[in-house]
Amino acid sequence: RPFREVWSEIWTEIKPLVERALAGEATFHENFRLVMERNGYPEETWYTFSYSPVPDDSGAVGGMFCACTETTQAVLTDRRQGFRLRLDDRLRGLTDAREVMYAAAELTGTHLGVARTGYGEIDPAGEIVSVERDWTSSGAVASLAGEARILDAFGPAVIADLRAGRTLVVEDCLTDPRSAGEAYAATWAGIGCRSLVVVPLLKEGRFRALFYLHEPAPRRWTASEAELARDVAERTWDAVERARAETELRDREERLRMLADNLPNGMVYQAIREPTGQVRFTYVSQAAERLHGLDPEAVVADAALLDAQVLEEFRPTLER
């Protein structure tokens, strides 16, 4: 059969290269992207190949020779690695949990060309999912920020998969047996979603949160896209929990310092003893100025400002 019939879905991209080969010009192409009809649906693929003219008995070009290697997996691996590096760079230095979630959602949605991405958190009873902030692509769908939904309204089979820790991949929620049915159609319509990937986040056996990718129309998700969603969910949720823990610690320390600075008759300090035996203060309350006539910031900078008698009072505590 003619080349244009066998490879009809890629003929527009391939035709100029074939014409060059038949005109006597050899070409080489590395990691050339083609959307191929194989496995029953359009699939993004990459190839490294050459087209070379083949002479006939008269010396004219009688055909062409193609040497080809598929590089799809290598390209996808490189793209995932590049995405992970960008994600790590973006998250580095973020200390607010909401900013961590939004940054991860935005990068993932942009990278995969998804309409809406975000995190939902599950209440302690495991019955309601709420979204604090998410990312949407240029108004393709509405944001779910500030909304809360009953989990079972999406279909018990859907939620059972998530509670079991299985990534949920639905190409069309109106035809998938786990989500289809009049009882659940209103819920899907209410969030403007027809296709989705949802990664559950279970900690210590409890369904704590989920990371979602939403499309307003049916979509065929690749195994690579689902894998990337799982990777993002796990990596960034750890960062979210660290950010929350650090924020809680900072808030607690700030409250304690405010209390310490307002004590009328006591001095509060934090100090460590270095391996050399030298005492180093990391915090000294404002009472140091009232009780000892010392600037607290100066004491933190130079512990020697506290006289030997005061240091001797601290020493048993430091040694403990």
Side-chain angles (χ1 to χ4, degrees):
R1 293 170 57 192
F3 200 124
R4 64 180 177 274
E5 293 180 10
V6 177
W7 304 114
S8 59
E9 72 274 21
I10 61 171
W11 181 241
T12 300
E13 293 86 357
I14 294 299
K15 179 183 177 182
L17 309 180
V18 172
E19 290 176 342
R20 289 169 66 181
L22 296 181
E25 179 186 356
T27 58
F28 173 78
H29 309 275
E30 187 172 13
N31 295 331
F32 194 95
R33 178 185 175 274
L34 294 169
V35 178
M36 304 279 292
E37 283 282 350
R38 58 183 196 178
N39 301 316
Y41 57 89
E43 185 177 357
E44 196 174 27
T45 63
W46 286 264
Y47 300 89
T48 292
F49 62 94
S50 62
Y51 282 173
S52 303
V54 178
D56 60 17
D57 292 341
S58 68
V61 177
M64 72 174 199
F65 175 77
C66 172
C68 178
T69 299
E70 183 173 357
T71 59
T72 301
Q73 289 306 313
V75 170
L76 291 177
T77 298
D78 287 345
R79 290 176 66 182
R80 281 196 300 270
Q81 184 61 29
F83 171 80
R84 287 168 180 160
L85 292 174
R86 291 195 301 275
L87 180 64
D88 289 343
D89 286 343
R90 180 74 178 275
L91 298 185
R92 190 177 295 114
L94 293 181
T95 57
D96 183 273
R98 290 171 297 181
E99 291 300 322
V100 171
M101 288 189 283
Y102 183 79
E106 180 184 26
L107 277 177
T108 305
T110 303
H111 179 71
L112 295 180
V114 178
R116 181 173 59 213
T117 57
Y119 285 89
E121 298 192 60
I122 313 302
D123 73 320
E127 297 176 354
I128 296 173
V129 57
S130 58
V131 176
E132 188 171 2
R133 186 183 182 189
D134 60 6
W135 175 86
T136 61
S137 174
S138 64
V141 291
S143 170
L144 297 178
E147 295 195 18
R149 304 274 174 168
I150 297 173
L151 286 171
D152 283 344
F154 294 96
V158 165
I159 304 308
D161 274 352
L162 296 177
R163 288 195 173 110
R166 293 188 289 269
T167 298
L168 179 70
V169 179
V170 176
E171 296 181 2
D172 188 345
C173 64
L174 300 185
T175 60
D176 190 297
R178 296 168 297 179
S179 57
E182 292 184 8
Y184 316 120
T187 302
W188 296 115
I191 64 172
C193 179
R194 280 284 298 273
S195 182
L196 60 148
V197 174
V198 181
V199 181
L201 290 151
L202 278 64
K203 301 297 179 181
E204 299 177 352
R206 187 168 73 83
F207 186 19
R208 294 273 307 279
L210 54 83
F211 179 61
Y212 59 82
L213 315 179
H214 286 172
E215 282 290 307
R219 170 168 172 164
R220 180 177 291 276
W221 303 95
T222 68
S224 178
E225 289 170 335
E227 180 184 349
L228 186 139
R230 283 191 293 269
D231 187 33
V232 171
E234 290 294 340
R235 292 158 71 95
T236 55
W237 190 249
D238 288 341
V240 165
E241 294 200 314
R242 282 196 303 271
R244 284 178 172 164
E246 290 170 1
T247 298
E248 183 180 351
L249 179 61
R250 286 195 302 271
D251 290 346
R252 186 165 61 246
E253 288 181 344
E254 183 62 26
R255 288 195 299 270
L256 288 173
R257 290 188 178 194
M258 289 179 62
L259 175 63
D261 286 339
N262 288 282
L263 286 174
N265 299 312
M267 175 174 156
V268 178
Y269 60 89
Q270 290 176 332
I272 61 173
R273 190 166 63 171
E274 304 285 8
T276 61
Q278 181 181 8
V279 174
R280 179 167 64 85
F281 289 90
T282 58
Y283 166 74
V284 177
S285 69
Q286 297 298 316
E289 189 167 0
R290 297 194 302 271
L291 298 176
H292 300 289
L294 296 171
D295 180 354
E297 292 185 5
V299 174
V300 171
D302 184 3
L305 291 174
L306 284 177
D307 62 32
Q309 179 181 355
V310 174
L311 282 176
E312 192 60 33
E313 293 174 5
F314 293 159
R315 193 169 304 283
T317 301
L318 294 170
E319 290 176 349
R320 286 198 299 272

